[in-house]
Amino acid sequence: MTDRDALKRAAAEAAVAEVEDGMVVGLGSGTTAETALHALAARVAAGLRVRGLPTSERTASLARALGVPLTGFARDPVPDLTIDGADEVEAASLALIKGRGGALLREKIVAAASRRVLIVVDDSKLVPRLGVGVLPLEVAPFGSQATLAHLDAMGMRPVLRRAADGAPFVTDGGNLVADCPTGPIADPAGLSARLLHVPGVIETGLFLLPTLEVIVATGHGTTRLPDRQQR
């Protein structure tokens, strides 16, 4: 295990320690979220009763393999707690970029429906301003060329994501992903609103939830960034 893996595990275990018996837990996607899922599975094996609401088919498959019971929105429309990772966290505002794993739409649906959201990261994901890496956008396949042209005219410089075989990457919902190298994002809320007005853009990787908490693993242990209401 690398030092970075150890940090992720420490933060994930701190988040999973907050899961209580009987909860419906949103199960995030990505490497850190999978680390949290392994920690949750260990507690389930020890007798914890939960139902997991997965944000991707990959997460659902792993949960089944680990013995974590699953549910859906028809039965449990309001998860008690969602645990997920992030690609970038703007420490001052708690604005996030997510979706570089390709599950941004489902991740946002589950997070927005949840009573609490715990984001688990190591300190390499903290940034002074979002836009260090690309901003993912989930895009409808129909007319995607027109959508990408519109985005390009906005200065977004979209690049259609490719799978390992060179074909367009397709999300669990059957959509495409355009990665945009934005550079520093001065107004995440304003940019998100403009992007969502582009026909064919289904969702953005900008996560601007009104209340969430971030658990950060550092070389000195874990720390918590308070939600916006506590600032």
Side-chain angles (χ1 to χ4, degrees):
M1 180 181 293
T2 67
D3 290 344
R4 192 62 59 189
D5 290 337
L7 292 179
K8 288 181 180 181
R9 181 172 178 176
E13 289 177 347
V16 169
E18 302 197 20
V19 177
E20 298 176 2
D21 197 62
M23 277 188 167
V24 174
V25 182
L27 306 176
S29 297
T31 57
T32 304
E34 289 181 4
T35 300
L37 181 52
H38 278 274
L40 180 63
R43 292 195 62 196
V44 168
L48 181 73
R49 295 171 299 171
V50 298
R51 294 191 297 278
L53 205 165
T55 58
S56 66
E57 296 303 321
R58 178 185 173 94
T59 294
S61 178
L62 179 60
R64 293 187 191 99
L66 293 174
V68 176
L70 297 182
T71 187
F73 276 110
R75 179 180 180 183
D76 294 300
V78 184
D80 297 291
L81 173 67
T82 284
I83 300 174
D84 207 345
D87 300 303
E88 296 181 22
V89 178
E90 189 174 272
S93 67
L94 297 193
L96 313 176
I97 285 180
K98 290 177 50 57
R100 293 179 191 155
L104 60 157
L105 176 60
R106 293 190 182 188
E107 287 176 324
K108 189 173 287 190
I109 290 171
V110 173
S114 300
R115 293 188 174 93
R116 289 181 65 204
V117 178
L118 274 177
I119 298 297
V120 179
V121 295
D122 63 70
D123 54 8
S124 70
K125 302 298 179 69
L126 299 181
V127 298
R129 182 165 286 182
L130 298 181
V132 172
V134 296
L135 171 64
L137 307 177
E138 193 151 343
V139 175
F142 178 81
S144 59
Q145 297 88 345
T147 303
L148 295 176
H150 195 149
L151 292 169
D152 195 51
M154 294 172 62
M156 296 300 295
R157 299 174 291 159
V159 176
L160 193 65
R161 188 179 298 182
R162 300 283 173 178
D165 62 0
F169 175 88
V170 179
T171 70
D172 289 342
N175 301 310
L176 306 176
V177 174
D179 291 316
C180 302
T182 61
I185 301 172
D187 180 12
L191 178 59
S192 182
R194 291 194 299 275
L195 291 170
L196 290 172
H197 274 94
V198 175
V201 174
I202 296 170
E203 192 50 85
T204 83
L206 290 165
F207 279 57
L208 310 172
L209 302 174
T211 58
L212 60 81
E213 298 160 77
V214 179
I215 295 178
V216 183
T218 73
H220 306 291
T222 61
T223 187
R224 184 184 300 262
L225 304 181
D227 67 40
R228 293 184 186 91
Q229 292 185 351
Q230 296 174 319
R231 296 181 175 218

